């Protein structure tokens, strides 16, 4: 391999990482590595990709190869190893690399300080910070501030910021402190600090916009956006993403149109957010348009874009295109598998969803709580009781803790299968408090199987739950009233209807939406 080829591959790896696709960078390396090709200049970049994923297995392999090819003593390689081990939670290994280094630069010290803070060892980080403080740089202070922000100790981060030498207080330092407030939802503190920032770049503006969106204050977020005199793609992305995350799908799509009107080219962040908005609002027409734009502009199908495409097509009822996108993804993340399993489940393809779940396991992709929820949902849609029970038990073996949604699926499945006593027993014994969805599904199963006695027991739990909303209570009373009517217990049904009238309750009106294109 000549120098030009090495340089080209280095750029490809670097681009994958900068675009948020570290897995693609590692996949590229694996393909080259199988051909017996190795270039020492790739190692720091690949270690950075391992830190981003994180991938301790490949990180260790690269460590071994750096020793094998005699580049282990290089300061940049060892600094990258410290960062990789730290981000993978192997702080002891990171410390060992640091201690064995005969020569260190300030980047090495910063990596070790950042590693300690990342792994919540503030004592060791503070000790190193004290040793290097005289010869440290801006990043040295920032690593400490970021660590305190991660630990929700913004007061300590602010104290460091105030002590930071004036010549080191760049826009980045101000942004890191602001980011600490934003990530911890300290909106008022963020607002006051934001107004103090002497020089605001697009990243600072977008942080404040995102901060308001994060706490659901859409009006304030729009107010900050409107104050920006010169907008760039980062600013527009913060607005579009914020709209989507707060359920303002139409607002996100409108903002996307205005952004295009101002001549900005979308990136992976833009299209992922717009596709999510399309999924929320059922705008298949806009979703297809965005997909065409992705292909035309050559926007990389990273895991976020591909997942957004699958999710959009699934929720808009286009199973064929959802499957096509899934099959085109060469490196599938857990999120990608989750999107496709969920897609099959909600389209009534329960058996196919479970087959995909088992395929995922065979390929050593580790399922998470979302995967198990999608698989249990498939069991509910297909009525697969035995398989559902088996999958639920598997969660314990895979160290995945079930939440109320997982219990809800199992209770729903037991109820639909006529196992009302077992479902009721699970409601009484589950370690988390049952929510309205869980109790409502069990009540619905009682109606299906005409079991008024069990329905009365469920209603007692609902009435004492204390967290059921007025609208949910209305629907439950209507449902149980109808159950008594179907069971020809007319007097009880009429008594319930009179009680509903006294409370001024009535069944919530259903709504439908129609998009004209």
């Amino acid at each position: 391999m000549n120098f030009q080829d090495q340089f080209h591959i280095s750029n490809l790896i670097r681009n994958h990482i900068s675009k948020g696709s570290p897995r693609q960078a590692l996949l590229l390396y694996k393909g080259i590595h199988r051909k017996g090709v190795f270039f020492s200049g790739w190692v720091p970049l690949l270690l950075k990709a391992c830190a981003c994923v994180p991938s301790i297995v490949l990180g260790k392999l690269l460590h071994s190869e750096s020793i094998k090819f005699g580049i282990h003593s290089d300061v940049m390689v060892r600094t990258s190893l410290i960062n990789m081990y730290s981000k993978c939670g192997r702080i002891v290994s990171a410390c060992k690399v640091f201690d064995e280094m005969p020569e260190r630069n300030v980047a090495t010290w910063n990596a070790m300080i950042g590693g300690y803070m990342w792994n919540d060892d503030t004592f060791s980080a503070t000790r190193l910070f004290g040793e290097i403080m005289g010869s440290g740089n801006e990043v040295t202070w920032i690593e400490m501030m970021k660590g305190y922000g991660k630990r929700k100790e913004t007061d300590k981060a602010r104290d460091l910021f105030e002590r930071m030498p004036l010549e080191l207080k760049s826009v980045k330092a101000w942004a890191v402190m602001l980011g600490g407030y934003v990530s911890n939802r300290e909106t008022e503190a963020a607002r006051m600090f934001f107004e103090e920032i002497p020089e605001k770049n697009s990243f600072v503006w977008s942080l404040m916009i995102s901060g308001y969106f994060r706490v659901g204050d859409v009006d304030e977020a729009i107010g900050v956006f409107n104050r920006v005199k010169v907008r760039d793609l980062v600013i527009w992305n913060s607005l579009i993403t914020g709209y989507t995350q707060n359920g303002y799908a139409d607002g996100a799509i409108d903002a996307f149109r205005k952004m295009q009107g101002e001549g900005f080219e979308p990136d992976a962040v833009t299209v992922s957010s717009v596709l999510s908005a399309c999924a929320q609002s059922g705008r298949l027409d806009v979703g297809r348009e965005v997909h065409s734009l992705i292909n035309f502009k050559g926007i990389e199908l990273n895991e976020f874009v591909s997942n957004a495409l699958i999710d959009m097509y699934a929720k808009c009822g286009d199973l064929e295109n959802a499957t096509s996108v899934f099959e085109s993804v060469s490196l599938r993340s857990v999120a990608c598998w989750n999107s496709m399993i969920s897609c099959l489940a909600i389209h009534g393809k329960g058996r196919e969803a479970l087959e995909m779940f088992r395929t995922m396991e065979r390929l050593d992709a580790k399922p998470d709580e979302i995967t198990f929820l999608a698989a249990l949902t498939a069991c509910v849609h297909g009525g697969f009781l035995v398989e559902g029970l088996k999958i639920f038990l598997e969660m314990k073996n895979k160290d995945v803790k079930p939440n109320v949604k997982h219990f809800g699926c199992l209770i729903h499945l037991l109820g639909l299968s006529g196992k009302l006593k077992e479902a009721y027993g699970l409601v009484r014994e589950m370690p988390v408090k049952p929510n309205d969805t869980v109790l409502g599904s069990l009540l619905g199963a009682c109606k299906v199987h005409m079991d008024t006695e069990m329905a009365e027991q469920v209603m007692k739990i609902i009435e004492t739950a204390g967290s059921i909303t007025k609208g949910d209570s209305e629907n439950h009373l209507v449902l149980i009233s109808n159950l008594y009517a179907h069971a020809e217990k007319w007097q009880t049904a009429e008594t319930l209807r009179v009680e509903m009238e006294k409370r001024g309750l009535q069944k919530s009106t259903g709504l439908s939406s129609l998009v004209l294109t």
Side-chain angles (χ1 to χ4, degrees):
M1 180 177 287
N2 59 38
F3 176 77
Q4 189 173 359
D5 290 335
Q6 292 172 353
F7 181 76
H8 175 65
I9 292 170
S10 295
N11 277 339
L12 286 176
I13 294 171
R14 189 176 289 106
N15 286 339
H16 281 313
I17 296 171
S18 65
K19 291 178 179 178
S21 304
R23 293 178 188 275
Q24 292 292 342
L26 297 181
L27 183 66
L28 173 64
Y29 171 69
K30 287 178 181 178
I32 297 169
H33 187 261
R34 279 194 290 267
K35 298 176 182 178
V37 178
F38 179 83
F39 174 53
S40 60
W42 299 336
V43 174
L45 287 172
L46 293 167
L47 286 170
K48 183 177 181 179
C50 290
C52 292
V53 170
S55 173
I56 187 63
V57 175
L58 191 52
K60 284 184 173 181
L61 175 63
L62 287 164
H63 190 172
S64 299
E65 293 206 332
S66 70
I67 297 172
K68 177 181 175 182
F69 288 96
I71 60 169
H72 181 246
S73 58
D74 182 81
V75 175
M76 185 181 293
V77 171
R78 289 205 181 195
T79 300
S80 300
L81 281 168
I82 291 169
N83 183 54
M84 181 276 295
Y85 279 125
S86 298
K87 292 298 193 300
C88 292
R90 306 297 176 90
I91 193 63
V92 174
S93 297
C95 189
K96 187 172 186 294
V97 173
F98 180 80
D99 289 340
E100 292 176 353
M101 289 181 71
E103 179 187 351
R104 302 168 186 149
N105 59 20
V106 68
T108 309
W109 284 84
N110 292 344
M112 195 65 245
I113 290 170
Y116 279 133
M117 291 301 282
W118 182 266
N119 289 276
D120 292 328
D121 187 353
T122 55
F123 177 81
S124 298
T126 304
R127 175 178 55 80
L128 283 189
F129 179 73
E131 291 180 31
I132 191 66
M133 188 166 60
S135 54
N137 58 14
E138 174 196 24
V139 178
T140 315
W141 291 79
I142 284 175
E143 288 293 349
M144 290 293 293
M145 286 160 56
K146 284 197 299 187
Y148 281 127
K150 180 174 175 284
R151 289 169 55 86
K152 302 184 185 302
E153 296 177 332
T154 51
D155 53 337
K156 292 183 179 180
R158 182 63 181 268
D159 179 62
L160 267 178
F161 178 80
E162 297 299 338
R163 290 164 47 201
M164 192 175 186
L166 189 60
E167 64 272 14
L168 297 182
K169 282 188 181 179
S170 65
V171 178
K172 184 176 180 181
W174 284 89
V176 168
M177 188 62 243
L178 178 63
Y181 285 131
V182 167
S183 62
N184 288 291
R185 297 175 180 269
E186 297 179 34
T187 313
E188 183 56 25
R191 184 194 64 77
M192 294 174 65
F193 186 79
F194 173 76
E195 298 300 344
E196 293 178 18
I197 299 176
E199 182 185 345
K200 299 178 179 69
N201 61 12
S202 62
F203 183 66
V204 170
W205 284 102
S206 68
L207 263 177
M208 198 64 240
I209 294 167
S210 300
Y212 279 121
F213 273 126
R214 179 185 280 261
V215 297
D217 197 337
V218 176
D219 290 338
E220 286 291 344
I222 295 170
V224 175
F225 175 83
N226 289 334
R227 286 173 57 188
V228 184
K229 294 178 181 179
V230 181
R231 296 165 186 160
D232 61 7
L233 185 60
V234 175
I235 300 291
W236 279 105
N237 280 348
S238 63
L239 180 70
I240 295 168
T241 303
Y243 271 136
T244 302
Q245 290 172 345
N246 283 273
Y248 288 72
D250 291 339
I253 294 170
D254 288 343
F256 174 60
R257 298 293 192 207
K258 290 175 183 175
M259 186 198 85
Q260 288 181 303
E262 291 191 11
F264 290 100
E265 295 288 347
D267 63 2
V269 176
T270 320
V271 295
S272 297
S273 297
V274 177
L275 287 168
S276 295
C278 294
Q280 288 177 19
S281 58
R283 292 297 301 272
L284 180 59
D285 56 327
V286 180
R288 285 174 173 166
E289 180 188 329
V290 173
H291 193 178
S292 297
L293 183 68
I294 290 168
N295 294 330
F296 179 72
K297 298 291 184 182
I299 297 173
E300 184 179 2
L301 270 178
N302 62 28
E303 62 179 282
F304 302 106
V305 176
S306 56
N307 292 347
L309 276 168
I310 294 168
D311 188 56
M312 182 276 295
Y313 280 125
K315 288 178 178 173
C316 291
D318 192 340
L319 179 59
E320 183 179 349
N321 270 313
T323 305
S324 176
V325 173
F326 177 80
E327 291 176 347
S328 71
V329 178
S330 54
L331 186 64
R332 295 165 185 161
S333 64
V334 173
C336 188
W337 284 100
N338 292 349
S339 295
M340 197 61 225
I341 294 170
S342 297
C343 172
L344 291 167
I346 64 177
H347 280 85
K349 304 283 185 181
R351 185 59 64 190
E352 291 87 341
L354 293 181
E355 287 174 3
M356 184 160 287
F357 173 68
R358 295 306 179 195
T359 301
M360 175 187 178
E361 290 186 313
R362 285 195 297 272
L363 294 174
D364 293 328
K366 188 178 179 182
D368 59 14
E369 62 178 31
I370 298 174
T371 319
F372 280 105
L373 182 61
L376 287 169
T377 302
C379 292
V380 171
H381 283 292
F384 308 132
L385 177 59
V386 174
E387 189 69 17
L389 290 168
K390 184 179 178 183
I391 288 170
F392 190 84
L393 292 173
E394 281 180 27
M395 294 182 70
K396 185 176 181 180
N397 299 330
K398 298 285 177 67
D399 292 324
V400 179
K401 186 178 180 180
N403 59 35
V404 69
K405 292 181 180 179
H406 300 99
F407 280 104
C409 279
L410 189 58
I411 289 164
H412 193 182
L413 188 55
L414 287 166
L416 290 176
S417 303
K419 307 285 186 181
L420 297 178
K421 289 184 179 179
E422 290 84 350
Y424 179 76
L426 186 57
V427 167
R428 301 296 294 179
E429 296 172 8
M430 58 192 279
V432 291
K433 188 176 180 179
N435 61 14
D436 173 69
T437 304
V438 172
L439 297 171
S441 67
L442 181 53
L443 196 60
C446 292
K447 182 175 183 292
V448 170
H449 297 285
M450 302 293 287
D451 192 331
T452 56
E453 291 183 9
M454 183 61 72
E456 288 170 359
Q457 294 299 314
V458 177
M459 279 304 296
K460 287 179 182 178
I461 299 176
I462 291 173
E463 288 170 357
T464 57
S467 59
I468 306 301
T469 65
K470 180 181 177 182
D472 293 326
S473 179
E474 294 168 6
N475 293 333
H476 294 326
L477 285 171
V478 170
L479 191 151
I480 197 169
S481 174
N482 290 338
L483 169 57
Y484 283 126
H486 283 296
E488 297 185 355
K489 294 186 176 182
W490 306 111
Q491 186 175 353
T492 309
E494 183 60 26
T495 301
L496 265 177
R497 291 190 183 279
V498 170
E499 177 61 26
M500 288 172 61
E501 287 177 6
K502 285 181 181 178
R503 295 191 194 181
L505 303 180
Q506 55 183 323
K507 186 176 180 182
S508 301
T509 306
L511 299 173
S512 299
S513 65
L514 177 65
V515 177
L516 300 175
T517 58

